[in-house]
């Protein structure tokens, strides 16, 4: 039976790596994007030409009604998802006193409310399927230890960790595992302006990670070999914490 995996935020650095890695493993990829689709379309063409399966979904992860409408329609037309990788996220960094209402609301609406907006429409169909399934959320080292200039981002990612652990308890009897991956400094567009001279000395491995290294952990969590792993936060951070 074909296993479909929904990936939110599939057009970014980690998202694109997830799309390529998950498709390579033989899953049918359902790739979400909001605005930026150029690189995702290129990846989609490569996957299709190689015999893989992928389709694209466009919606605003922060818009609850739109999420529900698009995801419920996709499930009706194409069937239930085996896996969901809740990867979509943004940052709006700045010292806390300088954060605007918009800085706070955009990050919470996308990162934390996006958890509910994306997962709420898909969980009951996964339960009704009465088959093992996987939910993987994307947090951050910021959600574990907090980062200077990222009070909003840290709050959203810490919230995801708590929500993931609680949801794991609720879905365990359904054989649906729920785990969280918490990347550290990863080479993406989001981290391009990070102060590497200050961060790298605190990373024992002495370098930034690659999106593919995050994707490798997600691939394992999607696999049957990870069927006894749930309610966990797995850090991919070079030993930072």
């Amino acid at each position: 039976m074909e296993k479909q995996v929904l990936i939110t935020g599939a057009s970014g650095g980690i998202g694109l790596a997830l799309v390529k890695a998950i498709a390579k493993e033989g899953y049918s990829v359902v790739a979400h994007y909001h605005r930026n689709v150029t690189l995702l379309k290129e990846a989609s063409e490569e996957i299709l030409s190689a015999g893989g399966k992928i389709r694209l979904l466009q919606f605003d992860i922060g818009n609850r009604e739109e999420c529900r409408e698009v995801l419920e329609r996709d499930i009706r037309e194409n069937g239930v998802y085996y896996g969901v990788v809740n990867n979509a996220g943004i940052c709006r960094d700045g010292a806390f006193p300088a954060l605007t209402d918009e800085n706070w609301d955009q990050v919470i609406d996308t990162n934390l409310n996006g958890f509910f907006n994306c997962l709420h429409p898909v969980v009951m169909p996964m339960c009704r399927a009465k088959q093992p399934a996987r939910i993987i959320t994307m947090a951050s080292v910021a959600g574990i230890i907090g980062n200077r200039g990222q009070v909003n981002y840290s709050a959203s990612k810490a919230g995801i960790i708590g929500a993931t652990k609680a949801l794991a308890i609720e879905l365990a009897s359904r054989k649906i595992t729920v785990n969280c991956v918490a990347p550290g400094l990863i080479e993406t567009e989001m981290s391009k302006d990070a102060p590497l001279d200050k961060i790298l000395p605190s990373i024992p491995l002495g370098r930034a990670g690659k999106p593919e290294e995050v994707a490798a952990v997600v691939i394992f969590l999607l696999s049957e070999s990870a069927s006894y792993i749930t309610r966990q936060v797995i850090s991919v951070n070079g030993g930072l914490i």
Side-chain angles (χ1 to χ4, degrees):
M1 182 172 138
E2 182 178 273
K3 290 183 176 179
Q4 302 185 98
V5 177
L6 169 67
I7 307 165
T8 68
S11 61
I14 291 177
L16 280 173
L18 290 169
V19 165
K20 294 174 182 178
I22 291 171
K24 189 175 181 180
E25 290 296 312
Y27 297 102
S28 177
V29 172
V30 185
H32 153 263
Y33 71 98
H34 185 198
R35 295 189 183 93
N36 181 17
V37 72
T38 303
L39 294 177
L40 181 56
K41 279 188 174 178
E42 292 176 3
S44 176
E45 290 169 3
E46 292 174 5
I47 290 167
L48 292 172
S49 65
K53 293 186 177 182
I54 183 172
R55 65 179 180 276
L56 309 186
L57 293 182
Q58 181 182 22
F59 56 89
D60 178 1
I61 201 81
N63 185 320
R64 186 162 299 156
E65 184 177 337
E66 186 179 9
C67 283
R68 182 174 292 115
E69 179 184 340
V70 173
L71 291 171
E72 287 181 348
R73 181 174 64 245
D74 188 60
I75 292 170
R76 283 196 306 271
E77 294 176 354
N78 298 288
V80 68
Y81 306 131
Y82 160 75
V84 179
V85 185
N86 204 50
N87 170 70
I90 62 170
C91 63
R92 298 288 184 268
D93 296 349
F96 185 71
L99 286 181
T100 64
D101 293 352
E102 186 178 33
N103 290 152
W104 180 271
D105 291 341
Q106 283 184 341
V107 170
I108 297 299
D109 285 345
T110 300
N111 298 1
L112 185 53
N113 290 341
F115 173 98
F116 179 86
N117 297 347
C118 176
L119 291 177
H120 198 256
V122 308
V123 163
M124 279 311 298
M126 293 171 84
C127 290
R128 293 189 193 106
K130 296 182 179 180
Q131 296 290 330
R134 306 281 186 265
I135 293 173
I136 301 160
T137 64
M138 201 65 64
S140 167
V141 64
I144 300 173
I145 62 172
N147 275 345
R148 181 188 296 272
Q150 290 191 316
V151 173
N152 50 357
Y153 186 74
S154 298
S156 69
K157 294 300 188 177
I160 286 173
I161 290 172
T164 298
K165 291 191 171 191
L167 186 59
I169 299 171
E170 292 189 15
L171 297 182
S173 65
R174 306 282 188 160
K175 297 183 181 179
I176 300 174
T177 65
V178 190
N179 291 291
C180 187
V181 175
L185 179 65
I186 305 297
E187 295 174 355
T188 66
E189 186 70 17
M190 187 181 288
S191 66
K192 69 175 184 178
D193 296 324
L196 296 182
D197 58 325
K198 296 180 180 179
I199 300 173
L200 289 180
S202 63
I203 300 175
L205 285 181
R207 65 172 177 86
K210 300 180 185 304
E212 292 76 15
E213 292 173 310
V214 179
V217 176
V218 172
I219 289 297
F220 171 67
L221 291 173
L222 285 171
S223 72
E224 292 183 10
S225 298
S227 61
Y228 197 55
I229 299 173
T230 196
R231 205 184 176 196
Q232 301 305 304
V233 180
I234 300 176
S235 294
V236 185
N237 60 33
L240 179 61
I241 57 171

